[in-house]
Amino acid sequence: MTPFGTRLHEAVAARGPLCAGIDPHAALLREWGLDDDVAGLERFAMTAAEGLAPHVSVVKPQSAFYERFGSRGIAVLERLIAACRDAGALVLLDVKRGDIGSTSQAYADAYLDPASPLASDAITASPYLGFGSLDPMIDTARKHGAGVFVLALTSNKEGPEVQHATTASGTTVAGTVLDHLRRLNADASPLGSFGAVIGATIGETGEDLAFNGPVLAPGYGAQGGTVADLKRIFGASAGAVLPSSSRELLRHGPDAGALRDAALRTNDELAGLAG
Ligand SMILES: O=C(O)c1cc(=O)[nH]c(=O)n1[C@@H]1O[C@H](COP(=O)(O)O)[C@@H](O)[C@H]1O
């Protein structure tokens, strides 16, 4: 299997860097004229897939918005993942998992093993049980050509309390995560498969953000992040950055063509980002 980083590099070159979040908020379902039930969820998800997945490099469904409907919501998520992959988009399933190693393996089997009904191209992971607790996810991703995006400097205002804290070795928690990612991606070309999550909303951190892997940058759009912020935060490394937008993009529904136009327009705005 071609490594995720290589597939992502090709997808971004072909379709642009925008990562389209498919988050069926109850308020968005109502805005689209849908009921906040499983039928509404299915209609929302499939319309978003139709409008966005043929045009963007990456889609990112947030699992909780599907889980809130129980097993029938998860069945919709399974169908959404399949539809988006069929349309040529890479699926980054946003689950932010992290646990002791033996349970991390179960999460890896659930989301990264092609035999699983929820198999995706990549997942988001939380490193706060220690970066090494994610090893089963990293190893399983390597085996199946998948990717893992690890939380480093998140877009929410509460993140710095933990992420800016200094560890016993003198580096920050975020800096430690980035060091691990630097090591994991060291030999990859053109791009590693192990990414960092760094919000498009963060202020000056003093961290070295350059590494040979992709960056998921949520917070672009509804949370206030702009193209200027992306340039300020990432500078020359911005070529491997995936700005992620959910609500700002999805408010253009329920017309699939309007979603497509919004995604294409956003990718045009992001075109100046690389280099
Ligand atoms: O991992 C994420 O995707 C994520 C990390 C982060 O630091 N901030 C963040 O907002 N997210 C997710 O990115 C999406 C942002 O949605 P919008 O604010 O509607 O664009 C949601 O699915 C969040 O759960």
Side-chain angles (χ1 to χ4, degrees), residues 101-161:
S102 46
T103 305
S104 278
Q105 183 61 59
Y107 282 131
D109 294 342
Y111 303 122
L112 299 175
D113 188 318
S116 164
L118 286 168
S120 298
D121 297 285
I123 53 169
T124 52
S126 168
Y128 302 125
L129 272 78
F131 198 96
S133 68
L134 301 179
D135 281 351
M137 295 188 203
I138 303 289
D139 293 344
T140 304
R142 276 197 205 285
K143 184 169 158 198
H144 297 300
V148 179
F149 286 79
V150 184
L151 302 179
L153 290 159
T154 57
S155 68
N156 58 319
K157 65 180 187 327
E158 301 84 0
E161 176 187 346

Side-chain angles (χ1 to χ4, degrees), residues 23 25 60 62 65 94 96 124 151 153-156 197 199 216 218-220 222-223 244-248:
D23 296 355
H25 289 259
K60 185 178 78 70
Q62 214 307 329
F65 292 102
D94 185 8
K96 296 189 184 66
T124 52
L151 302 179
L153 290 159
T154 57
S155 68
N156 58 319
V197 179
L216 176 72
Y220 175 67
Q223 294 176 49
S244 175
S245 173
S246 304
R247 284 166 295 179
E248 172 61 26

Side-chain angles (χ1 to χ4, degrees), residues 137-201:
M137 295 188 203
I138 303 289
D139 293 344
T140 304
R142 276 197 205 285
K143 184 169 158 198
H144 297 300
V148 179
F149 286 79
V150 184
L151 302 179
L153 290 159
T154 57
S155 68
N156 58 319
K157 65 180 187 327
E158 301 84 0
E161 176 187 346
V162 173
Q163 296 152 13
H164 292 187
T166 306
T167 66
S169 64
T171 43
T172 61
V173 170
T176 306
V177 169
L178 290 165
D179 283 344
H180 281 291
L181 290 169
R182 223 165 261 128
R183 181 179 48 78
L184 284 177
N185 290 305
D187 299 327
S189 175
L191 183 68
S193 299
F194 304 107
V197 179
I198 302 176
T201 50

